[in-house]
Amino acid sequence: MSNEAPVIGVLALQGDVREHLIALAAADAVARPVRRPEELAEVDGLVLPGGESTTISKLAVLFGVMEPLRARVRNGMPVYGTCAGMIMLADKILDPRSGQETIGGIDMIVRRNAFGRQNESFEAAVAIEGVEGGPVEGVFIRAPWVESVGARTEVLAEHDGHIVAVRQGNALATSFHPELTGDHRVHSLFVDMVRANRAAESL
Amino acid sequence: MSTTLPNSAQTPETGTARVKRGMAEQLKGGVIMDVVTPEQAKIAEDAGAVAVMALERVPADIRKDGGVARMSDPDMIEGIIDAVSIPVMAKSRIGHFVEAQVLQSLGVDYIDESEVLTPADEVNHSDKWAFTTPFVCGATNLGEALRRIAEGAAMIRSKGEAGTGNVVEAVRHLRQIKNEIARLRGYDNNELYAAAKELRAPYELVKEVAELGKLPVVLFSAGGVATPADAALMRQLGAEGVFVGSGIFKSGDPAKRAAAIVKATTFYDDPKIIADASRNLGEAMVGINCDTLPEAERYANRGW
């Protein structure tokens, strides 16, 4: 049972879903898109992709997946958010649009588009705690940063003095997009988290 | 901070192909809406648009008014940038690289070098590699799409026939692009050189498409989408998202129609959701039959 590849969903309401599916498959997971509550119930872990956080939030509420998402994250389902996905995992957003809700799960305050508009989008090497083999290529697109974290939140990486990767228990988040590079080490770290959680649950 | 987390000393690099193309990847599965005022931009954002296209007149009005259509007033574009937190795009004329420079200086997130505006150059499109701001360009077939990508476009959309409320041309262009990609998949290496010549596109890009089975950049649909079912049709035909121009704010109840098109774009393969989204939307834009449209008034013929 625990040797089987874990099933990891990618929330497919909007965003760069395809790239996450490819990265997860490359990291030896069975990857599938998730849009409905019944699809969410069938996965061992979930990726919240990059995209527009306002759009994803609205669609999640509208199609009844927001509450099931909150329930599963609260119950310890491993979850990984990139960029907009990081915003979705924040307990608090500094500058939410009206009606913008998050799933929560990480005790942090996130600032949207903190690194600027598209003209300021950039690439830079990022060293991540717990990812071996040197820094990863960080692709930051209208990226958020983490303004502050609570005591239970582990800071995994910074760029230019700003927090850009965090973990709290089974929830992982990055400001940048490893799915846009050919380097699947961050996805491997997440797949390992899902495997470990499944092993712990089957005890 | 612990000392095990060195700040990367290297200078961050802006305007790379990955950052430009990656921006479009974030828009996938979404709807980009034409807006002419900050109020419309807010309606679009509240309805779940992933981005807005700021322009002075929607294509249906450009068609009606005639005359030369140009880049919008910077004040109007800045007003829209200030009104919303989602990305803002704006249009430059084909080949008018100074309009593009102005749009970049205003901080728009994407520039649409658009056939909807009156072309400024009948031979050359703008050199899009020269910009930090990414570009989206229209195409009617694969060769045209690849020529735009060769010039630096980081996203492609079907041209369709903007301002008509008639999806027939968008369908034609998307099918054309998909069919030509499928044909390339079947070619062996010897055939790709002749294919590149036929497509009038760089061999390296032709080879890349043959290997990927898709364009190396995101492909959206544009030009004539007016209903939730139109948007879902384009997605089922392979578009990764849709632009809606006149279709929303030329309709009876823009806020409701905008939200309905967003829903149908996400659940494009679920007819029950599309049916629900299509109920009681009020009047759609009237629309124009493309076969009665004189050649000279077809925007899709602009650009080459």
Side-chain angles (χ1 to χ4, degrees), chain B residues 6 10 34 61 104 106 133 141 157-158 168 214 232 260 272 275 285:
Chain B
Q10 88 187 90
D34 278 5
D61 288 333
Q104 172 166 287
L106 295 175
T133 310
N141 57 51
R157 54 170 176 77
S158 67
V168 64
K214 65 184 282 297
K272 282 185 77 161
M285 69 180 285

mmCIF file of all heavy atoms in Angstrom, chain B residues 6 10 34 61 104 106 133 141 157-158 168 214 232 260 272 275 285:
data_model
loop_
_atom_site.group_PDB
_atom_site.id
_atom_site.type_symbol
_atom_site.label_atom_id
_atom_site.label_comp_id
_atom_site.label_asym_id
_atom_site.label_seq_id
_atom_site.Cartn_x
_atom_site.Cartn_y
_atom_site.Cartn_z
ATOM 1 N N PRO B 6 21.239 31.852 2.607
ATOM 2 C CA PRO B 6 21.897 33.015 2.007
ATOM 3 C C PRO B 6 20.958 33.699 1.013
ATOM 4 O O PRO B 6 20.270 33.018 0.261
ATOM 5 C CB PRO B 6 23.094 32.395 1.281
ATOM 6 C CG PRO B 6 22.680 30.990 0.977
ATOM 7 C CD PRO B 6 21.732 30.577 2.065
ATOM 8 N N GLN B 10 23.301 37.054 -6.717
ATOM 9 C CA GLN B 10 23.212 37.423 -8.129
ATOM 10 C C GLN B 10 22.098 38.456 -8.358
ATOM 11 O O GLN B 10 21.123 38.510 -7.612
ATOM 12 C CB GLN B 10 22.925 36.189 -8.980
ATOM 13 C CG GLN B 10 21.432 35.944 -9.086
ATOM 14 C CD GLN B 10 21.088 34.657 -9.779
ATOM 15 O OE1 GLN B 10 20.958 33.642 -9.157
ATOM 16 N NE2 GLN B 10 20.925 34.735 -11.085
ATOM 17 N N ASP B 34 -12.319 42.940 -22.260
ATOM 18 C CA ASP B 34 -12.135 44.321 -22.714
ATOM 19 C C ASP B 34 -12.912 45.268 -21.814
ATOM 20 O O ASP B 34 -14.096 45.025 -21.551
ATOM 21 C CB ASP B 34 -12.695 44.492 -24.131
ATOM 22 C CG ASP B 34 -11.727 44.020 -25.204
ATOM 23 O OD1 ASP B 34 -10.666 43.477 -24.849
ATOM 24 O OD2 ASP B 34 -12.040 44.200 -26.399
ATOM 25 N N ASP B 61 -17.517 49.160 -31.319
ATOM 26 C CA ASP B 61 -17.628 50.606 -31.518
ATOM 27 C C ASP B 61 -16.591 51.110 -32.514
ATOM 28 O O ASP B 61 -16.844 52.047 -33.267
ATOM 29 C CB ASP B 61 -17.490 51.341 -30.181
ATOM 30 C CG ASP B 61 -18.732 51.149 -29.314
ATOM 31 O OD1 ASP B 61 -19.822 50.936 -29.884
ATOM 32 O OD2 ASP B 61 -18.609 51.199 -28.077
ATOM 33 N N GLN B 104 4.688 50.217 -22.197
ATOM 34 C CA GLN B 104 5.643 49.633 -21.244
ATOM 35 C C GLN B 104 5.953 50.632 -20.125
ATOM 36 O O GLN B 104 5.996 50.274 -18.951
ATOM 37 C CB GLN B 104 6.926 49.216 -21.960
ATOM 38 C CG GLN B 104 8.030 48.771 -21.001
ATOM 39 C CD GLN B 104 9.164 48.036 -21.701
ATOM 40 O OE1 GLN B 104 9.025 46.896 -22.120
ATOM 41 N NE2 GLN B 104 10.302 48.703 -21.834
ATOM 42 N N LEU B 106 4.090 52.869 -18.963
ATOM 43 C CA LEU B 106 2.934 53.019 -18.072
ATOM 44 C C LEU B 106 2.815 51.856 -17.096
ATOM 45 O O LEU B 106 2.045 51.919 -16.141
ATOM 46 C CB LEU B 106 1.637 53.112 -18.889
ATOM 47 C CG LEU B 106 1.461 54.331 -19.787
ATOM 48 C CD1 LEU B 106 0.183 54.204 -20.605
ATOM 49 C CD2 LEU B 106 1.445 55.612 -18.957
ATOM 50 N N THR B 133 8.195 44.202 -21.129
ATOM 51 C CA THR B 133 6.785 43.822 -21.081
ATOM 52 C C THR B 133 6.515 42.753 -22.140
ATOM 53 O O THR B 133 6.957 42.908 -23.281
ATOM 54 C CB THR B 133 5.899 45.052 -21.367
ATOM 55 O OG1 THR B 133 6.323 46.132 -20.534
ATOM 56 C CG2 THR B 133 4.435 44.748 -21.102
ATOM 57 N N ASN B 141 -3.332 31.327 -38.434
ATOM 58 C CA ASN B 141 -2.808 29.993 -38.762
ATOM 59 C C ASN B 141 -1.463 29.790 -38.067
ATOM 60 O O ASN B 141 -0.943 30.704 -37.426
ATOM 61 C CB ASN B 141 -2.679 29.831 -40.286
ATOM 62 C CG ASN B 141 -1.789 30.917 -40.886
ATOM 63 O OD1 ASN B 141 -0.672 31.154 -40.434
ATOM 64 N ND2 ASN B 141 -2.285 31.596 -41.911
ATOM 65 N N ARG B 157 -3.040 34.498 -29.576
ATOM 66 C CA ARG B 157 -4.501 34.328 -29.550
ATOM 67 C C ARG B 157 -4.986 34.201 -30.983
ATOM 68 O O ARG B 157 -4.370 34.727 -31.911
ATOM 69 C CB ARG B 157 -5.176 35.525 -28.858
ATOM 70 C CG ARG B 157 -4.790 36.849 -29.465
ATOM 71 C CD ARG B 157 -5.610 38.014 -28.964
ATOM 72 N NE ARG B 157 -5.097 39.253 -29.533
ATOM 73 C CZ ARG B 157 -5.317 39.659 -30.774
ATOM 74 N NH1 ARG B 157 -6.059 38.932 -31.589
ATOM 75 N NH2 ARG B 157 -4.784 40.778 -31.231
ATOM 76 N N SER B 158 -6.075 33.479 -31.156
ATOM 77 C CA SER B 158 -6.698 33.467 -32.474
ATOM 78 C C SER B 158 -7.144 34.902 -32.746
ATOM 79 O O SER B 158 -7.432 35.651 -31.810
ATOM 80 C CB SER B 158 -7.900 32.529 -32.492
ATOM 81 O OG SER B 158 -8.935 33.038 -31.670
ATOM 82 N N VAL B 168 -17.553 32.432 -35.497
ATOM 83 C CA VAL B 168 -17.168 31.559 -36.613
ATOM 84 C C VAL B 168 -15.698 31.702 -37.027
ATOM 85 O O VAL B 168 -15.029 30.702 -37.313
ATOM 86 C CB VAL B 168 -18.112 31.759 -37.836
ATOM 87 C CG1 VAL B 168 -17.996 33.168 -38.412
ATOM 88 C CG2 VAL B 168 -17.847 30.716 -38.909
ATOM 89 N N LYS B 214 2.395 21.212 -29.371
ATOM 90 C CA LYS B 214 1.661 22.441 -29.049
ATOM 91 C C LYS B 214 2.581 23.622 -29.333
ATOM 92 O O LYS B 214 3.781 23.441 -29.552
ATOM 93 C CB LYS B 214 1.192 22.455 -27.589
ATOM 94 C CG LYS B 214 2.321 22.481 -26.555
ATOM 95 C CD LYS B 214 1.795 22.395 -25.149
ATOM 96 C CE LYS B 214 1.218 23.677 -24.610
ATOM 97 N NZ LYS B 214 2.134 24.821 -24.476
ATOM 98 N N ALA B 232 -16.901 28.076 -23.876
ATOM 99 C CA ALA B 232 -16.652 26.647 -23.656
ATOM 100 C C ALA B 232 -16.292 25.945 -24.960
ATOM 101 O O ALA B 232 -15.448 25.044 -24.983
ATOM 102 C CB ALA B 232 -17.885 26.007 -23.023
ATOM 103 N N ALA B 260 -20.891 34.569 -15.854
ATOM 104 C CA ALA B 260 -21.342 33.344 -16.516
ATOM 105 C C ALA B 260 -20.269 32.815 -17.469
ATOM 106 O O ALA B 260 -20.027 31.602 -17.551
ATOM 107 C CB ALA B 260 -22.633 33.619 -17.278
ATOM 108 N N LYS B 272 -24.011 20.749 -18.040
ATOM 109 C CA LYS B 272 -25.002 21.191 -17.053
ATOM 110 C C LYS B 272 -24.621 22.539 -16.459
ATOM 111 O O LYS B 272 -25.465 23.413 -16.277
ATOM 112 C CB LYS B 272 -25.123 20.149 -15.923
ATOM 113 C CG LYS B 272 -25.963 18.953 -16.336
ATOM 114 C CD LYS B 272 -26.172 18.021 -15.173
ATOM 115 C CE LYS B 272 -27.224 18.569 -14.223
ATOM 116 N NZ LYS B 272 -27.769 17.503 -13.358
ATOM 117 N N ALA B 275 -25.134 25.171 -19.051
ATOM 118 C CA ALA B 275 -26.567 25.462 -19.164
ATOM 119 C C ALA B 275 -26.994 26.416 -18.055
ATOM 120 O O ALA B 275 -27.654 27.437 -18.315
ATOM 121 C CB ALA B 275 -27.374 24.166 -19.093
ATOM 122 N N MET B 285 -25.029 40.728 -27.272
ATOM 123 C CA MET B 285 -24.812 41.752 -28.300
ATOM 124 C C MET B 285 -25.421 41.267 -29.608
ATOM 125 O O MET B 285 -25.523 40.069 -29.858
ATOM 126 C CB MET B 285 -23.321 42.066 -28.454
ATOM 127 C CG MET B 285 -22.484 40.960 -29.054
ATOM 128 S SD MET B 285 -20.749 41.430 -29.201
ATOM 129 C CE MET B 285 -20.782 42.564 -30.598
#
